[in-house]
């Protein structure tokens, strides 16, 4: 018996010495003099950041807080995690007492972090969430809004991930800004809207150190709209290479759609060898081009995109110095600008050997509602006219590609035989469909009270809460 107790005491002592991962809690009703347990939570996020080590989880309870700055790193498989407790509404609306740069959350010089489920607003100097010289950081399910410069910002951050975030109303610049030659960024499933500059910007900043190139990025499955009152683009890329920009919906932006260039640093810094695929880019009449690819941006593949403009501009703006290695095909667009000379699609096809399988169509010929629902009409030329790509087996909603003989062009795949989301079968996707699906999920209706093929929005074989979430997003 004495041996058994001796062993238990030894293990407890080792836990203290070696710092085994722990779960801590923070609450507006807590005290930093306590142990940070569920029953005796801490009061401030900064105190929690001062205490944690690799593998620790901090669960934050409902309330308003000041921000914090990281003081330690996690490790592979053991990130430091700051998360909203399940069901909690956490608002971080004041720059932390120990923060740098005027940002609300500041992760700097510390790797392997996860920030999850927090509302972050009110940055007075820079970003809601600010990540600098920190690798393997994940920002997930956060709502970053009304911050001075950026919703989420990175500098010299390798293997950074931002997913399922909403970044909106940045006063001076962008929703998400990944900068300073950080490689292997993953920016996916984000909503970026009403930012003064870009929705998403990746700028390798060749003049600011590092190798001046962002490589192997994935910018996918994002919805980006109503940005650019101060210029920029929905997705703005400078010195980005060997990356994929795909399955994004970009509409109603006031400046550019997708822009690829050299940041004015010289054509040796152009965006090269990227795949731009299955994007739907719909530009208003006063905006710039749907896709701008200039200043040494060579070797790119532009496939399966809807690139349309409601005004006198058009789909692709490029220059002679960016034509080398270009493969552009299976797109929908009306006009091309080459060295500021406008070409019809037919002239571009015959004169430059590009876009042989592409076509010119207007928004009204493609979309259920060009003003708000960019899912494809049953009669849209985009249906079954794309090139089926091994890299993309689903669409922005998670619907499998292809549904027909070939993949559809743009970010949405039309589900065979049904108008996606038209659950009551009236030919329109609207609030009535949302109410019907919610009633069905609550058990108030039978499956024969709706159109199952239209209700299974992500085509996974089940009608569930995920489909309701997708439908709400459409509206």
């Amino acid at each position: 018996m004495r041996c058994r107790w001796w062993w238990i005491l030894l293990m407890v002592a080792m836990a203290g010495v070696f710092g085994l991962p722990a779960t801590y809690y923070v609450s507006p009703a807590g005290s930093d003099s306590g142990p940070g347990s569920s029953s005796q939570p801490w009061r401030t996020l900064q105190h929690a950041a001062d205490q944690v080590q690799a593998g620790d989880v901090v669960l934050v309870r409902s309330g308003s807080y000041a921000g914090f700055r990281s003081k330690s790193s996690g490790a592979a498989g053991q990130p430091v995690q700051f998360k909203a407790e399940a069901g909690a509404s956490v608002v971080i609306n004041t720059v932390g007492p120990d923060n740098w740069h005027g940002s609300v959350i500041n992760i700097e010089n510390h790797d392997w972090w996860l920030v999850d489920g927090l509302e972050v607003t009110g940055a007075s100097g820079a970003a809601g969430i600010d990540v600098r010289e920190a690798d393997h950081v994940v920002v997930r399910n956060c709502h970053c809004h009304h911050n001075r410069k950026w919703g989420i910002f990175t500098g010299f951050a390798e293997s950074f991930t931002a997913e399922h975030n909403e970044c909106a109303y940045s006063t001076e610049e962008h929703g998400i800004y990944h900068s300073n030659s950080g490689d292997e960024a993953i920016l996916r499933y984000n909503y970026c809207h009403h930012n003064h500059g870009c929705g998403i910007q990746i700028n390798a900043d060749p003049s600011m150190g590092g190798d001046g190139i962002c490589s192997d990025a994935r910018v996918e499955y994002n919805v980006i709209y109503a940005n650019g009152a101060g210029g920029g683009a929905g997705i703005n890329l400078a010195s980005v290479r060997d990356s994929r920009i795909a399955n994004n919906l970009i509409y109603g932006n006031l400046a550019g759609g997708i822009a690829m260039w050299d940041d004015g640093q010289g054509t040796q810094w152009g965006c090269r060898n990227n795949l731009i695929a299955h994007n739907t880019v719909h530009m208003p009449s006063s905006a710039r081009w749907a896709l701008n690819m200039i200043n040494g941006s060579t070797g790119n593949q532009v496939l399966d995109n809807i690139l349309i403009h409601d005004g006198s501009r058009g789909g692709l703006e490029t220059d002679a110095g960016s034509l080398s290695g270009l493969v552009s095909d299976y797109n929908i667009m009306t006009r091309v600008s080459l060295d500021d000379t406008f070409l019809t699609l037919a002239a571009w096809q015959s004169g430059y050997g590009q876009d042989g399988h592409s076509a010119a169509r207007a928004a009204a010929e493609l979309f259920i509602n060009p003003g708000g629902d960019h899912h494809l009409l049953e009669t849209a030329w985009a249906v079954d006219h794309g090139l089926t790509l091994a890299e993309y087996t689903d669409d922005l909603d998670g619907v499998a590609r292809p549904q027909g003989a070939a993949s559809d062009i743009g970010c949405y795949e039309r589900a065979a035989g049904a108008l996606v989301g038209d659950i009551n079968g009236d030919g329109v996707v609207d609030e009535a469909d949302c109410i019907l699906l919610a009633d069905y999920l609550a058990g108030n209706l039978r499956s024969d009270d709706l159109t199952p093929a239209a209700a299974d929005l992500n085509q996974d074989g089940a009608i569930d809460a995920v489909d309701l979430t997708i439908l709400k997003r459409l509206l």
Side-chain angles (χ1 to χ4, degrees):
M1 181 63 71
R2 280 184 296 176
C3 290
R4 181 182 177 188
W5 280 109
W6 176 86
W7 179 253
I8 293 172
L9 291 171
L10 176 62
M11 295 307 295
V12 171
M14 289 177 65
V17 171
F18 292 103
L20 297 180
T23 298
Y24 299 107
Y25 296 81
V26 179
S27 168
S31 170
D32 287 345
S33 63
S37 63
S38 178
S39 59
Q40 294 179 284
W42 289 323
R43 172 63 185 88
T44 67
L45 299 175
Q46 186 58 62
H47 182 75
D50 293 341
Q51 307 303 314
V52 293
Q53 55 192 356
D56 287 349
V57 178
V58 176
L59 298 178
V60 188
R61 291 177 171 163
S62 292
S64 297
Y65 299 87
F68 64 90
R69 178 166 64 90
S70 65
K71 297 296 182 69
S72 60
S73 289
Q78 289 190 314
V80 173
Q81 301 182 49
F82 272 57
K83 304 169 64 175
E85 191 175 38
S89 176
V90 178
V91 180
I92 307 177
N93 55 12
T94 307
V95 174
D98 203 15
N99 283 28
W100 299 332
H101 318 298
S103 295
V104 177
I105 294 176
N106 183 199
I107 300 171
E108 190 158 350
N109 300 314
H110 297 114
D111 304 331
W112 296 103
W113 270 71
L114 168 65
V115 179
D116 189 352
L118 309 178
E119 181 179 350
V120 187
T121 186
S124 58
I129 300 176
D130 193 325
V131 179
R132 306 192 191 204
E133 298 190 77
D135 301 337
H136 303 286
V137 174
V138 177
V139 179
R140 178 184 297 148
N141 298 318
C142 291
H143 182 195
C144 302
H145 62 94
H146 295 94
N147 295 290
R148 180 176 175 181
K149 285 191 175 181
W150 314 291
I152 299 171
F153 172 80
T154 75
F156 295 108
E158 302 285 333
S159 302
F160 171 76
T161 298
E163 58 188 7
H164 300 285
N165 302 292
E166 181 177 1
C167 295
Y169 297 101
S170 294
T171 305
E172 294 183 3
E173 295 193 23
H174 320 309
I176 299 175
Y177 184 10
H178 181 70
S179 74
N180 302 127
S181 64
D183 295 333
E184 298 180 337
I186 298 174
L187 311 178
R188 61 188 177 192
Y189 301 108
N190 300 291
Y191 286 85
C192 297
H193 60 93
H194 294 96
N195 298 289
H196 189 66
C198 305
I200 292 175
Q201 172 158 297
I202 302 181
N203 188 343
D205 298 300
S207 65
M208 297 184 68
D211 65 2
I213 297 169
C214 287
S215 300
D216 299 306
R218 300 289 183 267
V219 185
E220 303 169 331
Y221 304 97
N222 301 287
V223 177
I224 300 171
Y225 62 95
N227 304 283
I235 297 176
N236 195 48
L237 308 170
S239 302
V240 175
R241 298 186 180 178
D242 303 304
S243 299
R244 297 180 189 170
I245 298 86
N247 270 339
N248 300 289
L249 173 60
I250 304 167
Y251 68 96
N253 293 285
L254 304 177
I258 299 173
M260 306 171 65
W261 66 313
D262 63 343
D263 197 32
Q265 301 298 310
T267 56
Q268 69 271 31
W269 300 110
C271 292
R272 299 178 182 173
N273 305 320
N274 302 292
L275 173 63
I276 301 92
H278 280 302
N279 301 287
T280 294
V281 187
H282 182 191
M283 304 304 295
S285 60
S286 61
R288 301 171 189 167
W289 293 75
L291 173 61
N292 171 278
M293 186 173 58
I294 60 172
N295 297 2
S297 293
T298 59
N300 296 297
Q301 298 181 73
V302 182
L303 303 169
D304 291 333
N305 302 283
I306 296 176
L307 305 171
I308 58 174
H309 197 288
D310 289 340
S312 59
R313 292 186 171 111
L316 172 63
E317 180 182 32
T318 189
D319 56 28
S322 298
L323 294 183
S324 177
L326 172 65
V327 176
S328 184
D329 207 354
Y330 296 92
N331 301 299
I332 295 178
M333 58 183 175
T334 55
R335 287 175 294 277
V336 174
S337 172
L338 178 61
D339 292 321
D340 296 323
T341 297
F342 283 21
L343 304 172
T344 63
L345 177 61
W348 169 247
Q349 290 169 322
S350 62
Y352 296 91
Q354 300 287 349
D355 284 288
H357 300 90
S358 299
R361 294 292 187 276
E365 299 175 279
L366 297 171
F367 305 130
I368 290 173
N369 175 9
D373 185 352
H374 288 83
H375 285 85
L376 298 173
L377 292 165
E378 185 176 5
T379 57
W381 187 86
V383 175
D384 291 348
H385 275 88
L387 178 66
T388 299
L389 303 174
E391 296 90 340
Y392 291 98
T393 58
D394 64 356
D395 75 350
L396 178 60
D397 285 339
V399 175
R401 295 185 189 271
Q403 289 286 305
S407 292
D408 298 348
I409 296 172
C411 67
Y412 290 122
E413 185 82 5
R414 183 176 173 83
L419 173 57
V420 175
D422 181 21
I423 294 169
N424 60 8
D426 66 354
V428 178
V429 179
D430 55 19
E431 189 65 30
D433 298 299
C434 197
I435 294 170
L436 190 65
L437 181 54
D439 281 346
Y440 170 75
L441 295 176
N444 300 325
L445 298 173
R446 301 170 301 173
S447 60
D448 56 3
D449 291 322
L450 43 78
T451 306
D456 184 15
L457 278 83
N458 62 358
Q459 299 293 294
D460 66 350
I463 300 172
D464 53 25
V466 175
D467 299 301
L468 181 59
T469 298
I470 293 171
L471 182 56
K472 287 179 178 178
R473 186 170 69 184
L474 298 181
L475 301 178

